[in-house]
Amino acid sequence: MAEKTYVPGSNLDVAKMPGHWLLARMGKRVLRPGGIELTRRMLDTLAIGPNDYVVEFAPGLGVTARLTITRQPASYTGIERDAAAATAVQKFLTSPHYRCLTGSAEESGLEDGSATVVYGEAMLTMHTQGQKARIVREAYRILRPGGRYGIHELGLTPDNLNDEKKDAILRDLSAAIHVGARPLTSSEWRAVLEAEGFQVQAEHTAPMHLLEPARMLQDEGLGRTLRIVFNILRTPQARQRILTMRRVFRAYQDHLMAISLVAVKPEVV
């Protein structure tokens, strides 16, 4: 029997639910802006190994968690605010050293210096500047000196993008996905991390092609992509919303990107 996958927001109206939840309901599993390839690059740069104590903020459907535990870290802890999602992730964490807790990335409840690696994907973008700072500060607090912090988020380009264009992108993007999206430019994302004491070591970017056919095939495979398309076609409200999302992504394709940064907590603070 196939494993039943948790779908967030399953009790919400298709017309009103956040865009990433709508895509999950249609069967999409990779919901990161840079796709599975940028996630893998982030994990490779973090160089997770058997001696690492890993914390993931907002594991969601658990796609990255599965990739992380194949690297067999000493421990893995997911911090997920959605209790049902945390339960779903916990089901495939069979090692006693791997767990997913219900909690907030702003206040994880974990001990100071208890992690060697912390990462989060596609979640800082959805928070205000103050919330971004608090989440990054929490990552800094729970990391040991020398620990690594990775993010994978939605970005704006170029760095000198004017405020009028930024405002238009944020307005149209938020309206399309029904979530307050607040992406930043590369230098702005770096500044968020550096303001809390991190030293950025690596940056990788990718096109924002979340709903493009080639990216869908790369992320989901042919079989699942066909199932997603079938589900969209037979759900008119979902089809209308997803086409609107794709139109907005394409309209601003020259100014949207996916970005991953990996930073280090200094050995001497």
Side-chain angles (χ1 to χ4, degrees):
M1 181 181 295
E3 180 183 353
K4 186 176 181 181
T5 304
Y6 165 73
V7 178
S10 56
N11 60 331
L12 298 179
D13 183 356
V14 165
K16 298 177 180 178
M17 65 168 52
H20 55 292
W21 288 5
L22 174 62
L23 294 174
R25 182 183 285 193
M26 294 299 101
K28 195 158 180 14
R29 293 294 168 260
V30 179
L31 301 170
R32 312 315 194 190
I36 200 70
E37 190 58 36
L38 194 58
T39 290
R40 289 195 174 107
R41 291 193 75 180
M42 181 190 73
L43 293 178
D44 287 344
T45 306
L46 287 168
I48 296 168
N51 296 320
D52 281 312
Y53 298 83
V54 179
V55 174
E56 179 177 7
F57 289 159
L61 300 179
V63 172
T64 307
R66 290 179 186 271
L67 294 175
T68 296
I69 62 177
T70 64
R71 297 166 183 254
Q72 299 182 312
S75 75
Y76 167 89
T77 301
I79 302 294
E80 172 58 59
R81 68 178 180 177
D82 186 311
T87 298
V89 172
Q90 184 61 55
K91 287 180 180 178
F92 65 78
L93 300 176
T94 55
S95 166
H97 302 293
Y98 300 164
R99 59 183 179 164
C100 190
L101 308 177
T102 302
S104 166
E106 293 182 45
E107 296 182 42
S108 67
L110 302 177
E111 294 182 5
D112 291 1
S114 57
T116 61
V117 174
V118 178
Y119 67 83
E121 299 181 283
M123 47 94 71
L124 289 175
T125 300
M126 307 304 178
H127 289 84
T128 65
Q129 199 69 9
Q131 290 170 317
K132 285 178 172 71
R134 288 192 291 275
I135 293 168
V136 174
R137 193 174 306 141
E138 180 70 354
Y140 190 92
R141 182 188 69 80
I142 64 177
L143 275 170
R144 298 176 185 175
R148 295 95 73 198
Y149 178 44
I151 66 170
H152 173 180
E153 299 291 340
L154 186 59
L156 297 174
T157 188
D159 250 357
N160 62 353
L161 189 64
N162 66 65
D163 289 340
E164 183 179 357
K165 178 63 75 171
K166 283 183 183 178
D167 290 344
I169 294 172
L170 269 56
R171 181 184 62 246
D172 292 349
L173 194 59
S174 297
I177 66 176
H178 293 194
V179 176
R182 301 171 182 90
L184 302 174
T185 65
S186 170
S187 62
E188 289 169 341
W189 278 121
R190 284 172 171 265
V192 170
L193 271 59
E194 290 167 351
E196 302 306 325
F198 282 106
Q199 297 174 349
V200 176
Q201 301 289 307
E203 174 180 326
H204 301 291
T205 61
M208 171 49 180
H209 286 170
L210 183 69
L211 296 179
E212 295 300 325
R215 174 71 64 76
M216 292 274 287
L217 287 167
Q218 181 183 48
D219 286 348
E220 310 291 346
L222 178 59
R224 180 171 289 280
T225 296
L226 291 174
R227 289 197 296 275
I228 294 168
V229 171
F230 174 74
N231 289 336
I232 292 172
L233 289 175
R234 70 189 182 97
T235 315
Q237 276 189 309
R239 183 171 70 249
Q240 182 178 359
R241 279 204 57 201
I242 291 169
L243 287 174
T244 297
M245 288 164 59
R246 192 172 70 172
R247 277 197 299 273
V248 171
F249 294 161
R250 286 182 171 178
Y252 295 115
Q253 62 184 343
D254 292 339
H255 300 300
L256 288 174
M257 66 173 178
I259 183 169
S260 173
L261 298 175
V262 171
V264 174
K265 179 175 180 176
E267 291 279 0
V268 179
V269 181

